[in-house]
Amino acid sequence: MPDYLIRHATLRQLQVFEAIVRLGSFTRAAEELFLTQPTVSMQIRKLTDAMGVPLFEHVGRNVKPTEAGLEMYEACRRMFEILANLEMKVADLKGMKRGRLRLGVITTAKYLAPEILGQFSRLYPGIELALKVTNRERIIERMHANEDDLYIMGQAPEGQFEVDTFHFAPNPLVLIGPRDHPLVGKKNISLEQVSKEPFILREPGSGIREAALRVFSSQGLRPQVRMELGSNEAIKHAVVGGLGLAVLSLHTLTLEGIDGAVAILDVEHFPIMRQLYIVHPKGKDLSLVDRTFLEFKVVSVPWIRIRMDSLWPRLKSLLKDSKKNTASRKKRAKK
Ligand code: PGA
């Protein structure tokens, strides 16, 4: 038994400590935990006294954990994971649909995840929800650090660690331009022609960026990147502002539709037929809440498809073609 720590440290102090290390700042930890900054400082002072070694060092205006602080952080993460699982298991035993669901999603999924969570929470109002939206690379990092319960992403991470994936919805990536662009309305535009136009690209670490660059390079081409932007919404505005063409998921057009200021261009090799998956690390101990959400996603699939089909009626035949192509590719590979 860790007799000394049991008598001298509290779980609340460890929670405050964990938040400071994770967020890199006393102020942000205070905000996240709804505490005042003096309370946070006091908790850390008490914890430092109990440990008898400094837990933080100041680097300029930032704080960094010392070596002892890093050891403590690792221990806290493991302890909190075990305690969170215990809470969920007790809730499971009580047979209650209560608890917490933390969902980490790629930027494209923010155009459907909030609606799904809305429906989910109408059925299970007792479940606390948290949604983190970021790019593919950050989602993979979060999965490594076990920061969320389930993830929505475009393609399972390859080679880094094993995951279970559950298909969720199609995620076609389309080439877009401003409504008044001369290529709007043209049929089967060559990729070469597009590569001569100024182009707006997502930031490094984005899955859409990777997928778009892959299509260009598979044809020995490179887009003329005029600008990099870290947000799908900013990209739409930049497209409308005439800064260039771009590749985005069809889902990003859900609210404004495809007849507005942003137009879909008919370009060869597009749309890129990606999919969205719910993902979790293999072997993860799923709570009742996680399992309930996984079952619930089945309910969401039909309305997402209906919404996509009415947004872009051409999608139905494109999806059929892509299914046929995949089936014949598989057949060829077997021979
Ligand atoms: P992104 O992900 O938000 O990283 O661009 C999209 C995807 O992987 O399909």
Side-chain angles (χ1 to χ4, degrees), residues 48-174:
T48 311
D49 287 348
M51 297 302 289
V53 280
L55 297 171
F56 289 106
E57 58 192 359
H58 289 268
V59 184
R61 298 182 61 209
N62 299 328
V63 284
K64 244 183 69 185
T66 57
E67 204 180 326
L70 278 178
E71 289 290 338
M72 178 122 197
Y73 180 64
E74 273 309 306
C76 284
R77 295 298 300 247
R78 283 205 300 275
M79 260 186 297
F80 291 153
E81 184 61 30
I82 292 169
L83 288 178
N85 273 343
L86 176 66
E87 269 185 14
M88 297 260 196
K89 281 201 180 122
V90 173
D92 285 10
L93 287 174
K94 288 182 188 159
M96 292 187 302
K97 298 278 165 76
R98 289 182 133 271
R100 179 196 58 180
L101 177 69
R102 295 168 307 176
L103 209 54
V105 309
I106 53 161
T107 65
T108 303
K110 80 169 173 210
Y111 296 90
L112 29 96
E115 281 102 322
I116 296 166
L117 288 178
Q119 295 176 2
F120 186 69
S121 81
R122 273 194 286 283
L123 275 182
Y124 307 107
I127 295 176
E128 219 180 278
L129 302 169
L131 178 67
K132 176 75 194 174
V133 181
T134 185
N135 72 24
R136 175 179 171 80
E137 194 172 284
R138 277 290 299 130
I139 286 293
I140 294 175
E141 282 167 18
R142 288 180 73 85
M143 212 184 284
H144 268 294
N146 203 9
E147 290 189 46
D148 310 280
D149 300 312
L150 295 170
Y151 299 87
I152 298 182
M153 57 195 305
Q155 226 178 308
E158 286 151 12
Q160 293 144 340
F161 54 102
E162 282 196 274
V163 290
D164 282 327
T165 56
F166 305 87
H167 181 250
F168 185 47
N171 181 26
L173 305 185
V174 291

Side-chain angles (χ1 to χ4, degrees), residues 182-292:
L183 292 178
V184 172
K186 294 249 159 65
K187 290 261 171 278
N188 209 17
I189 304 159
S190 75
L191 198 60
E192 194 177 354
Q193 201 166 355
V194 170
S195 70
K196 291 182 187 137
E197 297 283 332
F199 203 80
I200 308 164
L201 202 56
R202 279 280 304 277
E203 79 289 0
S206 145
I208 295 181
R209 173 192 173 103
E210 254 177 56
L213 289 178
R214 218 175 303 130
V215 170
F216 279 97
S217 71
S218 73
Q219 304 307 307
L221 296 167
R222 268 224 311 242
Q224 305 271 333
V225 180
R226 176 187 245 180
M227 193 175 187
E228 282 188 5
L229 275 176
S231 131
N232 296 327
E233 285 303 300
I235 288 185
K236 282 193 284 183
H237 284 272
V239 165
V240 174
L243 286 164
L245 307 180
V247 174
L248 282 186
S249 160
L250 179 67
H251 293 291
T252 65
L253 301 175
T254 298
L255 287 186
E256 63 267 53
I258 60 162
D259 299 319
V262 170
I264 298 179
L265 301 184
D266 181 10
V267 178
E268 58 173 357
H269 308 296
F270 280 89
I272 305 170
M273 285 300 184
R274 272 165 89 85
Q275 305 290 331
L276 289 174
Y277 298 91
I278 298 190
V279 179
H280 65 74
K282 221 182 189 62
K284 182 183 163 72
D285 205 1
L286 293 179
S287 70
L288 179 64
V289 174
D290 300 342
R291 290 197 303 271
T292 309

Side-chain angles (χ1 to χ4, degrees), residues 16 19-20 23 25-35 40:
V16 170
I20 298 171
L23 300 168
S25 126
F26 277 56
T27 317
R28 282 203 269 156
E31 274 165 19
E32 183 179 282
L33 297 171
F34 301 106
L35 294 173
V40 165

